[in-house]
Amino acid sequence: MPVDDEVPLFRAPMRSRDDSVPEGAGVERGLQKALCGIGGRLPRVPSSPDEAVGLLADEYDERMARRLERFASVPDGAYVWTRDVDGAYWLGRVDGAWRYDASEDAWAADLVHVRPCRWREEPVAEARVPAAVRATFARGGRNWQRIRSTQAFAATKGLWSSED
């Protein structure tokens, strides 16, 4: 695992682009199954991230394919923030390689491109969530997004360390 000062920080809304998927389904699944991920259901199970990228480009578009490339290449140990349907903030760390989850539950939540993620056992009180993290969620959106704030990184690292 990389040294903490070398790992990036991300926002992971885990919200499908398919509006028929209930809001919060991806986050709920991710927290329950110790995963973080993005959507993009495919007609067949890809055997590698590269194959999945190609299938996404064919089924959706190049932008979606590039999102998966970025997600799959994040180093283990990267910090991840998500927010559940009740508005609670959760802090985790990526802890393994990409895989395509073809299970019925993953399909229903459209959380099919996943990576193992160690989540804190409890949500973080909003007052303790770094301002830059809150701002990325306030802007809305469904994209996996890097948070490039040194203050947010330092605060996130401190929150994670306080969990140990």
Side-chain angles (χ1 to χ4, degrees), residues 4-156:
D4 273 351
D5 293 337
E6 299 172 4
V7 298
L9 172 63
F10 291 91
R11 171 187 87 150
M14 295 193 278
R15 185 159 174 232
S16 177
R17 288 181 156 20
D18 178 346
D19 290 333
S20 70
V21 173
E23 189 172 345
V27 171
E28 183 177 323
R29 179 168 176 72
L31 293 172
Q32 287 175 351
K33 300 292 186 179
L35 301 168
C36 64
I38 61 175
R41 300 174 187 121
L42 294 171
R44 69 176 193 274
V45 177
S47 61
S48 70
D50 289 340
E51 182 182 0
V53 165
L55 290 169
L56 278 172
D58 292 343
E59 289 290 316
Y60 298 94
D61 58 31
E62 287 296 324
R63 291 177 61 205
M64 190 105 157
R66 285 191 306 273
R67 283 186 201 104
L68 176 59
E69 280 180 313
R70 287 190 300 270
F71 173 72
S73 68
V74 166
D76 282 357
Y79 293 104
V80 179
W81 285 94
T82 198
R83 196 166 183 202
D84 67 24
V85 72
D86 296 322
Y89 290 90
W90 293 84
L91 174 58
R93 293 191 84 174
V94 174
D95 192 29
W98 167 93
R99 71 179 171 86
Y100 187 83
D101 186 345
S103 71
E104 189 175 312
D105 290 342
W107 188 272
D110 191 18
L111 193 69
V112 293
H113 300 279
V114 296
R115 299 197 47 192
C117 188
R118 291 176 290 134
W119 295 103
R120 285 177 53 123
E121 290 186 21
E122 300 289 329
V124 176
E126 187 167 354
R128 297 188 70 200
V129 176
V133 171
R134 290 192 315 268
T136 64
F137 282 96
R139 284 192 295 271
R142 302 175 191 206
N143 289 342
W144 169 268
Q145 177 184 6
R146 184 156 182 190
I147 301 170
R148 297 180 186 274
S149 163
T150 55
Q151 291 87 357
F153 177 83
T156 297

